[in-house]
Amino acid sequence: MKRIALFPGSFDPFTNGHYDIVKRGLLLFDEIIVAIGHNTKKQRYFEVEHIASKIKEAFKDASNVKVVVYSELTSEFAKKHNAKFILRGLRNTTDFEYENGISQVNKHLNNQLETVFLITSPQYAAISSTIIREIHKYGADIRPFLPYEL
Ligand code: ADP
């Protein structure tokens, strides 16, 4: 059976840190679905379909990476796509506290679902979508932090 992992996130925007997690995740899973969680009532900074197309472009040579936009419970979405794993990245203890909570709840909602964490590669540890949005607002060049041209 194919080992399918869901990599859920806001990806506003998708960064080199996220890209690294997917690339390393491909050593563990047969297929990774990058799932952009999008609540239509919540305002994003970068347009969701634009980021989705850019992530597809970044993985155009990897046929086992899919990109989808979703707006439902992650655990339900994983079930629908036959994904038995959720892939997440950990940068620090703040991430850990947050991720610990979500993974416990996801396990409660879908007992078949295992969350797998990869520790960030040190060169990406300081990259966050929040910081990138912040510096972009003030006109800084964010290209060094992204695996695609915006
Ligand atoms: P969310 O809004 O669900 O927190 P994000 O888009 O911010 O989603 O991040 C998705 C996942 O990627 C999370 O598990 C987050 O911890 C991880 N992540 C974010 N930035 C990095 C990075 N620089 N290195 C490794 N993992 C990261």
Side-chain angles (χ1 to χ4, degrees):
M1 207 169 66
K2 267 213 291 190
R3 294 166 79 85
I4 304 173
L6 200 70
F7 182 39
S10 318
F11 306 123
D12 190 18
F14 188 91
T15 69
N16 284 336
H18 297 129
Y19 183 78
D20 179 63
I21 295 291
V22 175
K23 291 292 268 190
R24 290 164 56 207
L26 285 173
L27 302 173
L28 302 171
F29 304 110
D30 300 311
E31 183 180 313
I32 294 180
I33 304 170
V34 179
I36 311 175
H38 182 44
N39 177 344
T40 43
K41 290 201 191 87
K42 242 171 113 184
Q43 188 73 16
R44 285 177 63 95
Y45 185 79
F46 293 102
E47 211 260 310
V48 71
E49 288 302 337
H50 182 64
I51 292 298
S53 76
K54 290 292 163 182
I55 303 172
K56 282 180 195 157
E57 191 182 303
F59 290 105
K60 63 178 184 311
D61 296 328
S63 57
N64 49 353
V65 176
K66 306 229 159 71
V67 182
V68 292
V69 177
Y70 77 109
S71 56
E72 61 184 296
L73 271 179
T74 303
S75 57
E76 285 296 315
F77 192 69
K79 218 184 264 175
K80 271 186 203 160
H81 285 78
N82 245 334
K84 300 277 192 296
F85 305 93
I86 288 188
L87 175 64
R88 297 284 284 181
L90 288 179
R91 286 163 295 188
N92 45 45
T93 51
T94 311
D95 274 355
F96 173 78
E97 295 287 337
Y98 178 63
E99 297 292 339
N100 186 25
I102 314 178
S103 77
Q104 304 284 357
V105 170
N106 281 333
K107 189 81 187 164
H108 172 81
L109 294 171
N110 175 356
N111 193 38
Q112 306 298 310
L113 203 52
E114 287 297 344
T115 306
V116 174
F117 299 101
L118 291 181
I119 299 289
T120 183
S121 298
Q123 65 270 37
Y124 304 125
I127 300 181
S128 75
S129 299
T130 308
I131 292 175
I132 289 173
R133 288 196 300 275
E134 206 54 37
I135 66 170
H136 186 263
K137 265 185 216 160
Y138 293 102
D141 180 10
I142 59 170
R143 280 177 299 182
F145 306 109
L146 307 179
Y148 46 79
E149 290 273 334
L150 261 184

